């Protein structure tokens, strides 16, 4: 079977009284999670949700989110992740293209205008929605009370509390059933829908639980990463697989996170660079989190080396990771016992012994050995089933022997593991060679004046060249010539930025895991700068 419901039932039988999910001072045990998910499955069936039907989860981190995930797994329904930050066009696209039959939401969460957003969605995108499952904490689950109706008059409205009061079902789900849809990050066209089956989710969760040490005694996790993103989702699933306790944060607040970490003696968490830097700013003392064993991190706005150095100074051991929606987050990690400069690098050793990684030259198609950069191709039990509704994209994503073409530039490492450099679309071809912008960025940041650097490519009359953007440290003065000379002293001439441009802040886009720097926008800015 290998379904998620089966996994929860096994945990309930072995340690039913152990805390599973903690929120707002309330503790849900593994036994209660098993019971409530069976009842919620019954409630979903009562409102017409069947195997293969899609349910849109427009909900923050809550125990109810996990209960409903397991409930969907029990009846073979598919959970579609929707970020609570999304607005009308994004919600309409995801709900409409996925054909969601129900939407789960908390209308009063953080004052976000969920009602107005739904009202602005193209009615055609919501035509197949038959039910709104409404969560609430101050109104008995009614989500705003009878005087605040939700749009979609054609859809049945049911409170979450009513749903979990239904007669339970006995199903445990099936590993072959479609289960979770995540959206890829898209900027110029609609995102693809990454579909995973229950088997890939459960198998990967167990591999992460082992590989990250969540199975160790007294493991307690902080679930601050949102469940709507694959980064947070995979941490939560692996936490469940290990039988650990998880403290859930519906919205990230650095001060609250620091309080939970210290009071609850959190041993494990993963997060984005911005999240950790805000926590460091809010925490007192040089070693504020003595119980943390290590933290996996993703660098979206800062360099990995900067993150690891800050962690070393504050007593937090950061390790580089690798993952993506198509193979799930936490696919690979470096050991916490490695030196800081190694742990700062993206990539790692796959957590699954059944996974494999290889590197292919993007020009010749030849497979490469250790130390030679090319496109990463991966295979293993965590692989997606397909791009939902897009057979052509699915076929293009896989090699004939079943490896996923990641679109990432990386290289194999002698002795095992691999390095991730950058997206193939971001890689620079300078002087006839493939160059990772991260190499130039890292060197620029060794200059005393530079806080953060970002490097993009631009086409000039002399061929492709690098353009750097930098933010400066407090009190530092900008000197473009000095920064170019700093690069020229340490690297090949073709890597030296043809321009270095100062910025007050980098353009960013909010995401489920934190703000991401808009490299496409930087490329546009670089082109304009060269033109003038």
């Amino acid at each position: 079977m290998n379904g998620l419901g089966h996994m929860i039932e096994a945990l309930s039988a072995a340690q039913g009284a152990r805390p599973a999910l903690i929120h707002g001072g309330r503790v849900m045990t593994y036994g209660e999670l098993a019971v409530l998910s069976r009842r919620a499955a019954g409630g979903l069936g009562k409102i017409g949700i069947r195997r293969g039907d899609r349910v849109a989860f427009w909900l923050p981190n809550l125990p109810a989110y996990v209960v409903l995930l397991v409930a969907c797994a029990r009846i073979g329904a598919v959970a579609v992740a929707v970020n609570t930050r999304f607005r009308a066009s994004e919600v309409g696209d995801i709900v409409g293209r996925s054909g969601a039959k129900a939407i789960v939401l908390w209308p009063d969460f953080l004052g976000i205008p969920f009602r107005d957003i739904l009202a602005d969605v193209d009615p055609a995108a919501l035509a197949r929605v038959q039910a709104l499952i409404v969560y609430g904490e101050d109104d008995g689950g009614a989500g705003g009370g009878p005087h605040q109706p939700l749009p979609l008059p054609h859809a049945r409205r049911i409170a979450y509390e009513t749903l979990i009061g239904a007669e339970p079902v006995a199903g445990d789900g099936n590993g072959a059933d479609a289960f979770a849809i995540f959206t890829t990050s898209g900027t110029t066209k609609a995102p693809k829908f990454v579909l995973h089956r229950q088997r890939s989710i459960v198998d990967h969760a167990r591999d992460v639980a082992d590989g990250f040490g969540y199975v160790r005694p007294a493991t307690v996790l902080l679930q601050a990463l949102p469940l709507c993103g694959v980064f947070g989702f995979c941490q939560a699933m692996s936490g469940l697989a290990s039988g650990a306790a998880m403290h859930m944060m519906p919205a990230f607040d650095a001060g609250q996170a620091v309080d939970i970490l210290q009071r609850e003696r959190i041993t494990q968490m993963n997060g984005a660079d911005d999240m950790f830097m805000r926590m460091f700013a809010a925490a007192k003392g040089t070693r504020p989190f003595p119980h943390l064993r290590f933290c996996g991190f993703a660098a979206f706005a800062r360099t990995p080396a900067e993150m690891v150095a800050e962690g070393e100074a504050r007593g937090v051991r950061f390790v580089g990771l690798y993952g993506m929606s198509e193979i799930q987050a936490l696919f690979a990690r470096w050991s916490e016992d490695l030196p800081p400069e190694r742990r700062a690098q993206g990539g790692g050793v796959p957590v699954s012994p059944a996974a494999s990684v290889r590197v292919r030259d993007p020009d010749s198609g030849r497979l490469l050995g250790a130390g030679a950069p090319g496109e990463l191709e991966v295979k293993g039990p965590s692989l997606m089933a397909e791009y939902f509704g897009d057979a052509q994209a699915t076929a293009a994503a896989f090699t004939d022997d079943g490896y996923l073409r990641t679109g990432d530039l990386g290289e194999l490492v002698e002795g095992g593991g691999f390095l991730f450099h950058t997206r193939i679309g971001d890689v620079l071809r300078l002087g006839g060679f493939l160059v990772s912008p991260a190499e130039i960025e890292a060197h620029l940041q060794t200059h005393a004046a530079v806080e953060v650097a970002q490097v993009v490519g631009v086409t000039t009359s002399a061929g492709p060249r690098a353009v750097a953007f930098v933010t400066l440290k407090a009190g530092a003065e900008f000197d473009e010539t000095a920064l170019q000379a700093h690069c020229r002293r340490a690297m090949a001439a073709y890597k030296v930025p043809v321009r270095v441009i100062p910025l007050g802040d980098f353009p960013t886009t909010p995401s489920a895991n934190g703000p991401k720097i808009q490299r496409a926008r930087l490329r546009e800015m670089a082109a304009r700068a060269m033109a003038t």
Side-chain angles (χ1 to χ4, degrees), residues 99-438:
K101 200 170 180 180
I103 302 175
V104 189
L105 71 161
W106 180 5
D108 302 307
F109 173 62
L110 281 186
I112 296 173
F114 289 96
R115 297 173 179 82
D116 296 339
I117 294 169
L118 274 179
D120 288 341
V121 173
D122 182 353
L126 304 175
R128 283 178 284 185
V129 177
Q130 298 180 12
L132 295 174
I133 301 168
V134 184
Y135 178 87
E137 295 192 343
D138 299 322
D139 52 24
H147 303 297
Q148 297 186 45
L150 288 165
L152 278 72
H154 67 277
R156 177 180 179 181
R157 172 175 170 155
I158 181 169
Y160 169 74
E161 294 295 332
T162 301
L163 198 76
I164 60 174
E167 286 296 315
V169 298
D172 290 340
N174 190 302
D177 285 338
F179 174 52
I181 288 177
F182 302 98
T183 54
T184 60
S185 55
T187 55
T188 59
K189 59 182 180 179
K192 294 191 284 289
F193 290 171
V194 178
L195 174 67
H196 284 276
R197 301 195 184 280
Q198 288 192 45
R199 182 181 296 111
S200 70
I201 298 295
V202 172
D203 287 350
H204 184 58
R206 288 173 170 150
D207 285 333
V208 173
D210 289 335
F212 278 64
Y214 295 170
V215 293
R216 289 172 57 183
T219 295
V220 186
L221 292 96
L222 177 61
Q223 186 64 39
L225 286 164
L227 289 164
C228 62
V230 70
F231 200 3
F233 182 91
C234 288
Q235 177 182 290
M237 291 297 103
S238 56
L240 290 177
S242 69
M246 284 188 289
H247 288 262
M248 308 194 76
M249 294 190 72
F252 179 74
D253 177 273
Q256 292 178 10
V258 168
D259 180 62
I260 295 172
L261 278 163
Q262 294 173 341
R263 185 183 69 248
E264 304 297 337
R265 299 189 173 193
I266 301 295
T267 62
Q268 300 280 156
M269 69 174 293
N270 300 294
D273 46 10
D274 182 65
M275 177 186 296
F276 285 116
M277 296 302 282
R278 287 161 61 189
M279 287 166 52
F280 286 147
K284 297 178 180 178
T286 56
R287 299 177 67 86
F289 312 125
H291 302 287
L292 276 177
R293 295 169 186 161
F294 68 88
C295 294
F297 78 100
F300 296 122
R302 292 171 174 82
T303 66
E306 179 187 15
M307 280 297 301
V308 171
E310 182 68 21
E312 294 296 296
R314 304 300 294 273
V316 176
R317 185 157 290 197
F318 285 121
V319 300
L321 306 173
Y322 182 79
M324 59 195 304
S325 297
E326 289 85 345
I327 58 169
Q328 303 187 57
L330 314 182
F331 173 84
R333 55 158 287 205
W334 293 115
S335 168
E336 66 271 26
D337 297 325
L338 290 172
E341 61 272 17
R342 283 291 307 278
R343 287 188 278 111
Q345 297 172 305
V349 177
V351 296
S352 171
S356 59
V357 179
R358 66 190 187 190
V359 175
R360 188 181 299 275
D361 185 290
D363 295 326
S364 68
R366 182 170 54 91
L367 290 177
L368 304 172
E375 183 180 11
L376 295 172
E377 296 179 349
V378 301
K379 190 176 185 179
S382 67
L383 272 179
M384 70 172 184
E386 63 182 73
Y387 288 120
F388 180 77
D390 195 337
Q392 184 176 359
T394 301
F398 289 96
T399 65
D400 291 341
D401 55 349
Y403 279 79
L404 177 81
R405 300 183 174 97
T406 66
D408 288 341
L409 182 74
E411 64 184 81
L412 300 176
V413 175
E414 291 284 359
F418 65 96
L419 295 175
F420 162 75
H421 294 313
T422 187
R423 291 291 294 169
I424 292 288
D426 292 334
V427 71
L428 310 178
R429 185 174 285 279
L430 305 173
F433 299 95
L434 292 177
V435 178
S436 170

Side-chain angles (χ1 to χ4, degrees), residues 493-510:
Y494 63 82
K495 297 180 184 178
V496 176
V498 67
R499 289 293 312 275
V500 182
I501 302 169
L503 294 177
D505 293 293
F506 291 107
T508 60
T509 298

Side-chain angles (χ1 to χ4, degrees), residues 459-499:
T459 301
T460 74
S461 58
R465 292 291 186 271
V467 172
F469 294 87
V470 297
T471 58
L472 301 177
K473 293 181 179 177
E477 294 186 3
F478 176 72
D479 186 332
E480 182 177 24
T481 302
L483 291 175
Q484 289 171 316
H486 178 68
C487 292
R488 194 172 290 111
R489 285 191 294 269
M491 55 182 60
Y494 63 82
K495 297 180 184 178
V496 176
V498 67
R499 289 293 312 275

